[in-house]
C-alpha cells in the first residue's frame, strides 16, 4: 500500500504558508467548545480503483485460479476475479504493458513492458508487489512465452534472437537461440522480429519460432539446431498449435490462414481466406485485412474451433471490428462496439497436450470487456458483473454520498433491476477466482455520475465495491434532432446539448435536481409507480442583467468588516422581474431571437417508468438576441419545496411545488445599497458558447502544464484553462457570478432570536449574502399561499469565490440540512401521508451569549467561522496563498467535524471546526487537469473520489482508521486450488512412445551446461524475495489449513512407512530367534568332539 509522508501540523501552531486561525476579542466563550479531531486521526491513502482499464494493451488468464489480468499503455495492471474482487497495480516506469504471462496456479504474474523490462509480480498478497525485475539493455522485447509448469521464460527480441530467463531467480541463461542459426544459412535477409514462441504440446524439446517476415522454425532445444523451416511469402501475425502437436496454423497479413504439417515444410497443407471472395476461375482470392490473431482449440465430441480477429475484406469500409468463430462448416462473425485489443479462449484444461474443450472467449476491446459463451447456440455474451460502464458516455460531473439512509439503495436497486437487458448467457460468469475481503465499513455509500448524453447513473459504492443501481435519461424530456441539419439555431453548445453540469440530490426525500449545459434545470421526484405524463410541466425564466462587469473588485480580509453590516431589504420584492411567457416566434421585432429556450421540449406524452420522474422543467430563454448564460450553481431543498440556481446574470428561486417563479434578480439587486463593487455596463458576448471544456470524452489527458482555472471562473465556459495556477480568480476574471447556495434554518438577521428558513448565497468575488424565506407551516397552506422573501444583504466577505457553506450549533456540532422524508408522490390524496418537515434544533440564545449558531464559509483562498446572528467573524484561516481551492466540503467523521479541501496545486488539506486548525496537508496530485477538477469530491466518514482517467474512478481515504483496516477490507486474488491431473497418455502411447515428451530444462538451460549470460545484456533488479519466499507468503486461514493438511499427509505417510519397516524387522527378529533355538537344541547334548 502506497502511503504518503504527511506534514501533520501541531495543534495551535502556525505554518509559514498559512496564517493562524484568529480568535476575535469579545468571544472568549468559544474556547469552551471541545474539539475532538486531532492530526493523528488523518492519513491519506488510495483504497480502490473502479471502471474499465484506460487504454488497455494486453491480457492474460490463469485457467486454474480463474483470474484475469489486463495491462494498459500507461503501465497499469488491473486484476479481476469474481464480482467484487478487483485489484490495481502500477509499474513505476509507466511504460506500456506489451504482454502478460501467468505462472499458472502459482500466484505470480510476469509482465513485459515497452521499455524492454520484465517484472515478476507476487499475487499471493492482497496488494501485489514486484519481486524481481530484469531490464534488457541491448535488445527490444517483442514476444514472451512461459510454458505451463515451467520456470523458464522464453523472451523473443526485435533482432530475432531468443533469450531464456529463470523466473525463480530472474537471471538470464547462457542458452541463446540466435536468429542466424535458426534460419537458412543461404538466406541473405534478416527475418525480422520474433512474433511468436511456443513449444510443441507433445514435445517440450521442440520450440516453434515465428519471424515477422513469414518464416517459422521448429527448433530442437537439445541438439541446438533447426529441425524444420516453414516459409510463406506473407508476414506472420500469430501461430496456434493443434493439441496433438502434429499441425499448427499461422495467420498472415493478407487475411489468409495457413495450416502446416510439422513434417512437411515444403508447402502448407491448407490455405484459406475466411473472409475472401472466392473467384470462379480458380484464381487466388482477393487479399483481405490482416488476421491479427488466431487460436485453434479442439473438442473431444465435435469439430475444433478456430477463432480469429481481423481478416475482413477491404471493401467493408466503416464496418465495426469483428471476431470470427469457425466451428465445423459454420462461420459466425460477431461485431464488436469498439476495436479489438486482444482475445483469449477459455478452456477446461490448462494442459496444452489435451483436448482443449473451449467454453468461452474473453474479448478485450478498446473501451469494453466482452465474454462470449461458446457452448450455447448463437454465442450469447455473459452479463458483466464489473462496473466497467462508467464511461458509456463521458462523465461530466460526480457526487459522492456516504452514510446515506439505509432504504435508499434497496429502493433504487428495485427500480433499476427492471432496466436490465435480456438475452445474456444463462451460465455463471467464468472469471470467478479470489475471495472477498473480511472487513467492511459500517456505512452505506453512493456515487452519482452525470454524463455528456444527459444520463445520470446511481452507483452502490458500499464495502469498497461498485455496482450500478439505476440509470436515468434526462434527454427524454426534449425533442431530439434527427440530423445535424435539423439542429435548432437556438442551441448554445455545438455538441452534447443535454450534458449534465451540476447535480443536487436530497437523499432523505430522494428529490433530484440537475442543471444541463443548455441552461436548463430539471426537478425529479422518486416514485415506485409508473405514470404517463401528457405534458411536461415547463417554466421559462428570463434572466438578464445590464450591470455585469466589476470595475475595481475589492478583496476580502480586512475589508470584510466594512461590508458585514447587513441592510434589511424588503422592498426589492415588488420590483423583481417575473418570468415572461414564452413566445411562439423565435424572433423579436428587430430580428433578434428573444424569449426562446435553447432546447425544444417533447410534445408527445412521456411514459415514465418507476424511478425518477420529471416534476418540473425550467429553461432559461434568449434575451434580445443573446443566449442565456450557463448555470454555475444549483441547490434543491425538499423541506421548503424550492430550487435555487444562479449564473453570471443573477439568481432565480423556483417553487417546484406550486410550479412558480419565486425570485429572479441580478447580483447587484441582491446587494442593494451595500454593493461594494463599481459595476459597468455589460460587454457584448458571443452568441454561442463552446462545450469543449465540460467533457473531455475519452481522449488522453491534457498536457501537464495546462492547469485548471478556479472553478468559480465563469463556469459557463466550463473551467476555461490557464497556464498559471498562482493567480487568483479575482485577478483573472472581473465578472461576478453566483458560485454556491445553502438552504438552512438560520439566524440570518441580526435581530433574529429564532431560526427561520433561509437561503445563503455565495459569489465568485467572495461575498456571502442571506435571504430570509417565509414558508407556510401546513401542507395545505404551502400549496395555496405564496412564499415571502426578505433580503439581509452581505453577511461576510472572503478572498476568492465562495465554494461551500454550512452551519454549526453552539456546541460546534454540524447542523444537518433541513429536509422532508420521502413519500409516494403518485399515491391518491386520501392515501398519501406527507411527513412533517425535519429541521435541526438550535439552543435558544441568552443575554450572556446571544450567538447560538455558527456559519462556516469556505472560499478558494480562505475559511471563516461567523457567529450568528451577531455576524462576528470568530475564526479565520488562509488556506492557500499561491494556489486556490478547487473543491471544499464540510464533512462528518466518527471523531468529529471538519473541512476537507482539494487545491489546484494538488494538496489535500483538512481543518478542524470551529477553530480551523490545520490537521492534514498532503501533496497528493502534483499535476491536476480538467477532469480531476470537475469530478473531485469529498464525502462524510473520510472518503473521497475523482476520475483518474476518462474511464476510471479512484477512491481515496483521508482517515487513519480506514487506512489501518484497508488490508482486511480488500479481497484476496490467490486462493489455494489443486492443479488438475495431467491427461492420461493411454497404454499404447506409453508403450510405444507416442505420448508427450518431457524435457529437463534445468539440465539444458542451467549454468552448469549453458554457462552464464553476458552481464551487459540485461540488468537484474532484485525484489523483496525469491520464489520460495513467495510460495510461503500465502496468507489467510485457508492457506494455513491447506499447508497443515499437506504436512499431516506427509507425516502420516512417513509414519506408515516406519510402521511397515518396524513390522518387517520384528518378523526378521522372530525368524532369527527360531533358527537360533533350533540350532541350540540340535547341538545341546553333543560333546565338542562330536561337532
Amino acid at each position: 500500500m502506497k502511503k504518503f509522508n504527511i506534514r501533520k501540523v501541531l495543534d495551535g501552531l502556525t505554518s509559514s504558508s498559512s496564517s493562524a486561525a484568529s480568535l476575535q476579542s469579545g468571544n472568549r466563550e468559544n474556547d469552551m467548545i471541545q474539539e475532538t479531531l486531532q492530526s493523528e486521526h488523518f492519513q491519506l491513502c488510495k483504497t480502490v480503483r473502479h471502471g474499465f482499464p484506460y487504454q488497455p494493451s494486453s491480457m492474460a488468464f490463469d485457467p486454474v485460479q480463474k483470474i484475469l489480468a489486463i495491462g494498459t499503455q500507461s503501465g497499469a495492471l488491473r486484476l479481476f476475479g469474481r464480482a467484487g474482487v478487483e485489484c490495481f497495480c502500477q509499474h513505476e516506469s509507466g511504460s506500456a504493458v506489451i504482454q502478460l504471462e501467468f505462472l499458472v496456479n502459482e500466484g505470480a504474474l510476469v509482465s513485459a513492458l515497452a521499455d524492454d523490462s520484465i517484472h515478476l509480480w507476487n499475487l499471493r498478497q492482497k496488494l501485489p508487489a514486484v519481486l524481481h525485475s530484469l531490464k534488457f539493455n541491448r535488445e527490444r522485447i517483442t514476444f514472451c512465452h512461459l510454458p505451463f509448469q515451467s520456470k523458464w521464460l522464453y523472451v523473443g527480441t526485435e533482432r530475432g534472437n531468443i533469450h531464456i530467463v529463470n523466473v525463480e531467480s530472474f537471471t538470464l541463461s547462457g542458452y541463446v537461440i540466435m536468429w542466424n542459426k535458426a534460419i537458412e544459412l543461404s538466406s541473405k535477409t534478416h527475418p525480422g522480429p520474433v512474433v511468436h514462441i511456443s513449444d510443441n504440446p507433445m514435445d517440450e524439446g521442440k520450440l516453434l519460432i515465428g519471424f515477422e517476415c513469414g518464416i517459422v522454425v521448429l527448433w530442437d532445444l537439445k541438439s541446438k539446431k533447426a529441425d524444420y523451416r516453414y516459409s510463406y511469402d506473407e508476414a506472420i501475425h500469430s501461430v496456434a498449435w493443434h493439441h496433438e502437436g502434429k499441425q499448427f496454423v499461422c495467420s498472415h497479413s493478407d487475411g489468409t490462414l495457413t495450416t502446416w504439417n510439422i513434417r512437411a515444410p515444403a508447402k502448407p497443407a491448407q490455405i484459406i481466406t475466411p473472409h475472401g471472395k472466392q473467384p470462379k476461375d480458380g484464381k487466388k482470392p482477393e487479399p483481405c485485412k490482416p488476421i491479427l490473431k488466431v487460436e485453434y482449440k479442439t473438442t473431444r465430441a465435435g469439430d475444433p474451433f478456430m477463432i480469429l480477429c481481423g481478416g475482413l475484406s477491404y471493401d467493408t469500409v466503416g464496418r465495426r471490428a469483428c471476431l470470427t468463430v469457425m466451428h465445423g462448416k459454420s462461420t459466425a462473425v460477431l461485431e464488436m462496439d469498439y476495436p479489438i485489443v486482444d482475445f483469449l479462449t477459455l478452456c477446461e484444461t490448462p494442459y496444452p497436450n489435451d483436448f482443449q474443450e473451449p467454453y468461452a472467449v474473453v474479448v478485450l476491446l478498446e473501451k469494453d470487456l466482452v465474454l462470449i459463451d461458446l457452448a450455447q447456440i448463437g454465442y450469447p455474451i455473459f452479463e458483466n458483473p464489473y462496473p466497467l460502464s462508467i464511461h458509456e458516455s463521458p462523465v461530466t460531473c460526480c457526487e459522492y454520498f456516504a452514510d446515506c439512509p439505509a432504504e435508499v439503495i434497496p429502493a433504487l436497486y428495485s427500480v433499476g433491476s427492471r432496466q436490465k437487458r435480456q438475452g445474456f448467457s444463462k451460465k455463471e460468469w467464468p472469471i470467478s477466482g479470489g475471495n472477498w475481503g473480511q472487513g467492511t465499513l459500517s456505512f452505506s455509500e453512493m456515487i452519482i455520475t452525470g454524463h455528456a448524453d444527459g444520463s445520470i447513473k446511481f452507483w452502490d459504492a458500499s464495502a469498497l465495491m461498485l455496482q450500478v443501481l439505476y440509470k436515468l435519461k434526462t434527454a427524454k424530456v426534449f425533442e431530439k434532432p434527427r440530423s445535424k441539419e435539423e439542429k435548432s439555431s437556438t442551441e448554445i453548445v455545438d455538441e452534447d446539448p443535454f450534458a449534465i453540469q451540476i447535480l443536487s440530490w436530497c437523499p432523505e426525500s430522494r428529490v433530484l435536481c440537475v442543471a444541463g449545459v443548455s441552461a436548463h434545470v430539471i426537478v425529479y421526484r422518486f416514485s415506485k409507480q409508473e405514470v404517463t405524463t401528457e405534458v411536461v410541466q415547463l417554466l421559462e425564466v428570463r434572466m438578464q442583467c445590464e450591470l455585469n462587469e466589476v470595475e475595481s473588485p475589492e478583496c476580502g480580509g480586512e475589508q470584510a468588516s466594512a461590508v458585514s453590516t447587513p441592510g434589511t431589504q424588503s422592498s426589492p420584492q415588488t420590483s423583481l422581474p417575473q418570468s415572461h411567457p414564452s413566445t411562439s416566434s423565435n424572433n423579436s421585432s428587430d430580428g433578434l431571437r428573444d424569449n426562446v429556450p435553447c432546447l425544444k421540449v417533447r410534445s408527445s406524452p412521456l411514459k415514465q417508468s418507476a424511478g425518477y420522474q420529471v416534476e418540473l422543467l425550467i429553461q432559461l430563454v434568449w434575451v434580445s438576441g443573446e443566449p442565456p448564460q450557463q448555470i454555475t450553481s444549483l441547490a434543491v431543498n425538499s423541506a421548503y419545496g424550492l430550487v435555487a440556481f444562479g449564473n453570471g446574470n443573477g439568481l432565480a428561486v423556483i417553487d417546484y411545488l406550486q410550479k412558480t417563479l419565486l425570485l429572479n434578480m441580478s447580483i447587484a439587486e441582491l446587494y442593494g445599497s451595500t454593493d461594494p463593487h463599481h459595476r459597468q455596463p455589460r460587454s457584448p458576448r458571443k452568441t454561442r458558447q463552446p462545450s469543449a471544456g465540460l467533457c473531455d470524452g475519452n481522449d488522453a489527458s491534457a498536457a501537464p502544464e495546462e492547469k485548471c482555472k478556479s472553478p468559480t471562473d465563469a463556469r459557463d465556459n466550463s473551467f476555461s484553462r490557464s497556464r498559471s495556477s498562482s493567480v487568483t480568480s479575482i485577478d483573472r476574471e472581473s465578472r461576478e457570478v453566483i458560485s454556491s447556495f445553502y438552504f438552512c434554518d438560520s439566524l440570518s438577521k441580526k435581530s433574529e432570536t429564532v431560526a427561520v428558513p433561509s437561503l445563503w448565497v455565495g459569489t465568485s468575488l467572495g461575498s456571502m449574502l442571506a435571504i430570509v424565506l417565509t414558508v407556510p407551516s401546513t401542507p395545505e397552506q404551502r400549496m395555496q399561499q405564496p412564499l415571502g422573501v426578505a433580503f439581509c444583504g452581505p453577511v461576510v466577505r472572503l478572498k476568492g469565490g465562495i465554494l461551500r457553506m454550512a452551519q454549526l450549533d453552539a456546541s460546534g456540532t454540524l447542523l444537518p440540512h433541513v429536509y422532508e422524508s420521502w413519500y409516494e408522490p403518485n399515491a391518491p390524496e386520501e392515501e398519501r401521508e406527507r411527513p412533517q418537515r425535519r429541521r435541526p434544533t438550535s439552543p435558544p440564545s441568552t443575554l450572556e451569549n446571544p450567538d447560538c449558531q455558527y456559519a462556516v464559509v469556505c472560499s478558494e483562498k480562505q475559511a471563516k467561522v461567523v457567529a450568528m446572528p451577531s455576524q462576528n467573524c470568530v475564526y479565520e484561516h488562509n488556506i492557500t496563498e499561491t494556489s486556490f481551492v478547487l473543491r471544499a466540503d464540510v464533512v462528518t467523521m466518527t471523531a468529529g467535524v471538519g473541512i476537507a479541501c482539494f487545491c489546484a496545486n494538488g494538496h489535500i488539506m483538512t481543518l478542524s471546526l470551529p477553530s480551523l486548525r490545520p490537521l492534514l496537508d498532503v501533496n497528493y496530485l502534483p499535476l491536476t487537469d480538467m477532469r480531476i477538477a470537475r469530478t473531485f469530491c469529498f464525502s462524510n466518514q473520510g472518503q473521497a473520489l475523482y476520475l483518474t482517467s476518462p474511464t476510471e474512478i479512484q477512491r481515496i481515504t483521508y482517515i487513519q482508521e480506514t487506512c489501518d483496516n484497508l488490508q482486511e477490507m480488500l479481497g484476496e486474488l490467490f486462493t489455494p486450488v489443486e492443479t488438475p491431473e495431467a491427461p492420461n497418455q493411454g497404454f499404447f502411447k506409453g508403450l510405444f512412445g507416442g505420448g508427450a515428451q518431457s524435457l529437463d530444462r534445468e539440465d539444458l538451460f542451467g549454468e552448469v551446461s549453458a554457462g552464464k549470460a553476458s552481464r551487459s545484456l540485461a540488468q537484474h533488479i532484485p525484489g523483496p524475495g525469491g520464489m520460495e519466499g513467495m510460495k510461503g507468503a500465502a496468507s489467510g486461514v485457508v492457506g494455513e489449513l491447506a499447508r497443515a493438511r499437506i504436512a499431516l499427509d506427509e507425516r502420516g505417510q512417513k509414519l506408515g512407512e516406519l510402521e511397515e519397516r518396524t513390522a518387517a524387522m520384528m518378523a526378521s527378529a522372530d525368524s532369527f530367534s527360531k533358527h537360533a533355538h533350533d540350532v541350540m537344541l540340535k547341538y545341546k547334548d553333543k560333546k565338542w568332539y562330536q561337532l
Side-chain angles (χ1 to χ4, degrees):
M1 187 76 248
K2 183 178 179 184
K3 296 188 178 178
F4 302 87
N5 293 324
I6 303 175
R7 175 165 60 86
K8 294 187 175 179
V9 186
L10 294 175
D11 300 343
L13 298 182
T14 63
S15 65
S16 58
S17 61
S18 59
S19 63
S22 59
L23 185 65
Q24 303 294 330
S25 59
N27 288 281
R28 292 296 174 188
E29 66 275 3
N30 293 303
D31 284 331
M32 301 302 292
I33 296 177
Q34 296 294 319
E35 292 186 359
T36 52
L37 278 183
Q38 304 297 332
S39 295
E40 51 268 21
H41 289 130
F42 294 93
Q43 182 179 348
L44 192 71
C45 67
K46 295 179 181 179
T47 52
V48 287
R49 183 173 293 202
H50 302 295
F52 182 76
Y54 184 54
Q55 295 179 332
S57 56
S58 56
M59 177 172 60
F61 182 71
D62 187 325
V64 180
Q65 287 288 320
K66 299 196 181 303
I67 295 290
L68 183 75
I70 296 176
T72 73
Q73 293 180 23
S74 60
L77 272 182
R78 291 287 297 280
L79 297 135
F80 296 91
R82 66 179 61 192
V85 177
E86 296 180 36
C87 185
F88 168 79
C89 317
Q90 177 70 48
H91 291 91
E92 287 188 6
S93 68
S95 294
V97 181
I98 59 174
Q99 199 170 346
L100 295 169
E101 290 280 326
F102 272 103
L103 278 70
V104 175
N105 206 27
E106 292 284 350
L109 176 72
V110 174
S111 58
L113 271 58
D115 65 353
D116 310 308
S117 63
I118 54 176
H119 307 267
L120 179 67
W121 290 84
N122 175 14
L123 307 184
R124 291 183 176 235
Q125 55 195 57
K126 290 189 173 183
L127 294 167
V130 173
L131 288 168
H132 296 283
S133 297
L134 196 64
K135 181 79 165 64
F136 282 74
N137 298 322
R138 299 201 306 247
E139 298 195 51
R140 306 295 310 271
I141 297 172
T142 56
F143 194 88
C144 295
H145 171 63
L146 182 65
F148 178 52
Q149 293 184 324
S150 168
K151 68 175 184 180
W152 298 95
L153 174 74
Y154 300 104
V155 180
T157 69
E158 197 173 45
R159 292 187 182 180
N161 303 324
I162 294 177
H163 302 277
I164 300 165
V165 177
N166 184 326
V167 293
E168 286 186 356
S169 61
F170 244 53
T171 54
L172 277 171
S173 167
Y175 192 112
V176 182
I177 303 173
M178 304 299 290
W179 68 270
N180 53 354
K181 292 186 178 180
I183 66 169
E184 297 272 4
L185 293 175
S186 59
S187 178
K188 296 180 180 179
T189 57
H190 190 278
V194 175
V195 295
H196 179 82
I197 308 169
S198 62
D199 46 343
N200 188 316
M202 286 294 181
D203 189 351
E204 295 175 349
K206 309 292 185 183
L207 198 67
L208 197 69
I209 307 165
F211 295 96
E212 189 181 61
C213 69
I215 295 173
V216 179
V217 176
L218 188 66
W219 180 266
D220 189 312
L221 290 167
K222 291 180 180 177
S223 63
K224 300 183 181 180
K225 66 177 184 179
D227 281 356
Y228 300 103
R229 297 179 177 91
Y230 315 86
S231 184
Y232 192 70
D233 55 4
E234 290 291 340
I236 288 177
H237 284 277
S238 71
V239 183
W241 278 102
H242 186 282
H243 85 275
E244 292 179 345
K246 297 175 181 177
Q247 280 188 335
F248 62 87
V249 178
C250 300
S251 71
H252 298 277
S253 58
D254 63 345
T256 58
L257 294 173
T258 57
T259 305
W260 301 80
N261 293 324
I262 61 168
R263 298 184 184 277
K267 65 174 185 177
Q270 186 183 35
I271 303 175
I272 61 169
T273 309
H275 296 288
K277 295 178 181 178
Q278 300 293 336
K280 294 180 181 179
D281 54 5
K283 293 181 181 179
K284 284 181 67 176
E286 293 179 5
C288 296
K289 296 174 184 176
I291 296 176
L292 301 175
K293 185 174 182 179
V294 63
E295 290 203 347
Y296 191 13
K297 303 297 180 183
T298 53
T299 60
R300 290 182 193 277
D303 296 313
F305 282 87
M306 200 171 287
I307 304 165
L308 54 110
C309 69
L312 295 177
S313 172
Y314 278 105
D315 60 10
T316 56
V317 178
R319 189 172 181 179
R320 292 190 291 185
C322 295
L323 187 82
T324 305
V325 181
M326 301 168 67
H327 185 221
K329 294 182 180 179
S330 70
T331 300
V333 181
L334 310 175
E335 281 198 351
M336 302 292 157
D337 291 335
Y338 305 102
I340 296 173
V341 176
D342 196 4
F343 73 88
L344 293 171
T345 309
L346 307 189
C347 301
E348 297 289 353
T349 177
Y351 293 93
N353 58 353
D354 194 10
F355 286 98
Q356 298 298 286
E357 304 294 348
Y359 60 88
V361 182
V362 186
V363 189
L364 178 63
L365 308 176
E366 281 189 0
K367 297 178 185 177
D368 202 1
L369 181 73
V370 176
L371 254 80
I372 298 164
D373 187 349
L374 292 178
Q376 291 190 32
I377 297 171
Y379 304 131
I381 65 171
F382 290 88
E383 185 174 8
N384 198 321
Y386 308 133
L388 302 183
S389 62
I390 292 170
H391 64 288
E392 186 177 18
S393 174
V395 177
T396 53
C397 63
C398 192
E399 291 296 335
Y400 191 8
F401 298 88
D403 218 1
C404 45
E407 67 276 3
V408 171
I409 290 177
L412 286 166
Y413 179 80
S414 175
V415 295
S417 60
R418 306 173 199 174
Q419 299 177 327
K420 288 191 175 180
R421 288 173 49 197
Q422 303 298 318
F424 290 111
S425 170
K426 300 290 189 276
K427 295 184 179 178
E428 293 291 322
W429 182 254
I431 303 168
S432 55
N435 284 321
W436 293 316
Q438 299 301 313
T440 57
L441 296 170
S442 58
F443 49 87
S444 59
E445 298 170 86
M446 274 190 60
I447 298 170
I448 306 178
T449 53
H451 299 263
D453 63 353
S455 62
I456 297 168
K457 289 183 181 178
F458 292 78
W459 305 83
D460 179 5
S462 307
L464 295 185
M465 296 187 186
L466 192 68
Q467 180 185 9
V468 67
L469 292 170
Y470 173 74
K471 181 179 178 180
L472 171 66
K473 297 179 179 178
T474 65
K476 282 185 175 180
V477 301
F478 300 107
E479 296 281 2
K480 287 189 177 180
R482 296 179 184 176
S483 63
K484 289 186 177 180
E485 289 74 22
E486 294 182 32
K487 185 175 281 190
S488 170
S489 60
T490 59
E491 290 187 13
I492 59 173
V493 289
D494 296 324
E495 295 179 0
D496 302 321
F498 310 116
I500 305 299
Q501 200 166 11
I502 313 174
L503 290 164
S504 180
W505 184 57
C506 175
E508 291 81 9
S509 66
R510 306 181 198 172
V511 173
L512 173 70
C513 192
V514 299
V517 294
S518 296
H520 63 274
V521 174
I522 312 177
V523 182
Y524 288 92
R525 300 282 285 271
F526 184 85
S527 173
K528 294 180 179 179
Q529 300 177 13
E530 183 179 297
V531 295
T532 299
T533 305
E534 294 297 327
V535 179
V536 174
Q537 292 276 352
L538 173 64
L539 193 63
E540 294 181 352
V541 178
R542 182 184 177 96
M543 294 183 76
Q544 63 182 5
C545 174
E546 297 306 324
L547 299 176
N548 201 338
E549 302 293 334
V550 177
E551 189 178 56
S552 56
E554 302 170 15
C555 293
E558 290 77 13
Q559 289 88 354
S561 58
V563 295
S564 61
T565 305
T568 303
Q569 304 285 328
S570 56
S571 57
Q573 268 187 279
T574 57
S575 61
L576 294 180
Q578 298 298 315
S579 65
H580 293 251
S582 82
T583 59
S584 57
S585 170
N586 286 8
N587 301 321
S588 59
S589 58
D590 56 356
L592 298 175
R593 282 186 289 268
D594 193 54
N595 281 347
V596 289
C598 303
L599 299 175
K600 188 177 180 183
V601 181
R602 179 187 180 120
S603 55
S604 57
L606 176 63
K607 184 180 178 181
Q608 302 195 80
S609 304
Y612 274 101
Q613 299 169 354
V614 178
E615 175 82 2
L616 178 64
L617 168 62
I618 306 151
Q619 286 187 293
L620 300 186
V621 296
W622 286 64
V623 177
S624 302
E626 292 206 6
Q629 292 188 20
Q630 288 182 343
I631 292 161
T632 56
S633 54
L634 175 73
V636 65
N637 186 273
S638 59
Y640 309 149
L642 298 179
V643 171
F645 59 89
N647 58 18
N649 283 337
L651 81 156
V653 180
I654 306 294
D655 183 341
Y656 68 78
L657 296 177
Q658 296 185 18
K659 311 291 189 296
T660 57
L661 177 67
L662 177 66
L663 194 64
N664 179 8
M665 63 190 310
S666 68
I667 300 173
E669 290 174 308
L670 194 59
Y671 280 106
S673 60
T674 60
D675 190 349
H677 308 297
H678 304 287
R679 301 180 187 271
Q680 296 296 316
R682 180 170 48 88
S683 59
R685 293 181 52 82
K686 295 180 180 178
T687 57
R688 297 184 70 83
Q689 298 174 357
S691 63
L694 180 66
C695 131
D696 53 7
N698 289 326
D699 300 334
S701 299
E705 67 270 10
E706 289 189 344
K707 300 200 178 178
C708 56
K709 261 181 128 177
S710 156
T712 59
D713 281 357
R715 202 188 283 195
D716 55 329
N717 280 330
S718 308
F719 302 108
S720 30
R721 292 174 177 167
S722 167
R723 292 189 180 273
S724 170
S725 62
S726 61
V727 185
T728 68
S729 61
I730 294 175
D731 296 327
R732 288 194 301 264
E733 182 68 71
S734 61
R735 225 162 27 91
E736 187 170 23
V737 302
I738 304 295
S739 59
S740 60
F741 289 110
Y742 184 68
F743 283 103
C744 59
D745 282 2
S746 76
L747 305 165
S748 297
K749 295 181 182 178
K750 283 190 173 182
S751 57
E752 293 282 3
T753 56
V754 179
V756 294
S758 304
L759 172 62
W760 293 351
V761 182
T763 77
S764 61
L765 295 187
S767 294
M768 173 195 156
L769 306 103
I771 300 172
V772 172
L773 307 167
T774 306
V775 182
S777 56
T778 66
E780 294 76 18
Q781 293 173 333
R782 176 65 186 82
M783 295 303 295
Q784 295 170 2
Q785 298 178 7
L787 277 70
V789 179
F791 300 93
C792 304
V795 175
V796 67
R797 287 206 65 211
L798 285 77
K799 297 176 184 175
I802 305 294
L803 299 177
R804 192 68 58 197
M805 295 171 284
Q807 200 177 20
L808 306 178
D809 66 12
S811 64
T813 305
L814 181 68
L815 289 172
H817 65 278
V818 287
Y819 64 87
E820 183 179 71
S821 297
W822 178 80
Y823 63 92
E824 174 56 63
N826 293 323
E829 283 293 337
E830 58 273 11
E831 298 177 13
R832 187 182 302 178
E833 292 185 8
R834 287 190 57 174
Q836 292 297 313
R837 182 160 64 96
R838 306 289 177 88
R839 68 165 64 187
T841 56
S842 299
S845 58
T846 63
L847 293 175
E848 294 81 16
N849 180 20
D851 294 327
C852 57
Q853 285 184 347
Y854 297 98
V856 180
V857 189
C858 187
S859 75
E860 298 169 317
K861 294 286 187 180
Q862 284 183 313
K864 287 186 180 182
V865 176
V866 180
M868 303 292 277
S870 69
Q871 300 183 7
N872 293 325
C873 179
V874 291
Y875 293 103
E876 177 180 342
H877 177 75
N878 290 336
I879 300 171
T880 177
E881 296 291 345
T882 58
S883 184
F884 55 86
V885 179
L886 285 167
R887 176 81 185 213
D889 286 287
V890 177
V891 291
T892 303
M893 291 155 279
T894 308
V897 182
I899 300 177
C901 304
F902 173 59
C903 289
N905 60 8
H907 282 250
I908 290 178
M909 305 180 217
T910 60
L911 306 172
S912 70
L913 281 176
S915 67
L916 302 177
R917 287 177 297 113
L919 299 174
L920 173 77
D921 187 351
V922 182
N923 188 5
Y924 175 66
L925 289 171
L927 292 175
T928 184
D929 60 26
M930 290 304 305
R931 181 180 54 255
I932 295 172
R934 193 174 58 248
T935 58
F936 198 105
C937 48
F938 296 97
S939 79
N940 292 333
Q941 306 300 333
Q943 310 301 311
L945 65 79
Y946 60 94
L947 241 72
T948 185
S949 75
T951 63
E952 295 168 290
I953 286 176
Q954 178 67 57
R955 291 166 69 178
I956 61 176
T957 182
Y958 49 95
I959 287 294
Q960 181 77 49
E961 182 184 2
T962 308
C963 292
D964 294 341
N965 298 330
L966 187 60
Q967 282 283 345
E968 290 181 24
M969 292 186 283
L970 294 175
E972 289 181 295
L973 285 169
F974 179 81
T975 52
V977 181
E978 290 187 8
T979 303
E981 290 186 6
N984 190 358
Q985 290 187 9
F987 174 74
F988 290 105
K989 283 189 176 180
L991 185 65
F992 298 112
Q997 303 293 313
S998 62
L999 173 72
D1000 187 351
R1001 294 188 178 93
E1002 183 67 42
D1003 182 53
L1004 199 58
F1005 303 143
E1007 190 175 316
V1008 176
S1009 57
K1012 290 186 176 181
S1014 169
R1015 289 188 177 181
S1016 61
L1017 180 63
Q1019 176 188 359
H1020 176 234
I1021 305 167
M1027 182 64 74
E1028 292 305 315
M1030 186 195 69
K1031 285 183 178 177
S1035 59
V1037 177
V1038 178
E1040 295 296 336
L1041 287 175
R1043 286 196 293 277
R1045 190 193 69 187
I1046 293 168
L1048 283 172
D1049 289 345
E1050 291 175 352
R1051 185 165 176 255
Q1053 185 178 354
K1054 289 176 180 177
L1055 285 172
E1057 291 172 358
L1058 180 62
E1059 189 176 350
E1060 289 174 5
R1061 285 203 296 270
T1062 305
M1065 289 174 66
M1066 288 177 65
S1068 176
D1070 288 343
S1071 176
F1072 178 76
S1073 174
K1074 185 180 179 183
H1075 284 296
H1077 186 67
D1078 290 345
V1079 170
M1080 186 269 293
L1081 290 175
K1082 183 178 179 180
Y1083 296 107
K1084 185 173 77 168
D1085 297 327
K1086 291 186 179 183
K1087 303 297 182 183
W1088 61 270
Y1089 51 84
Q1090 293 176 322
L1091 296 175

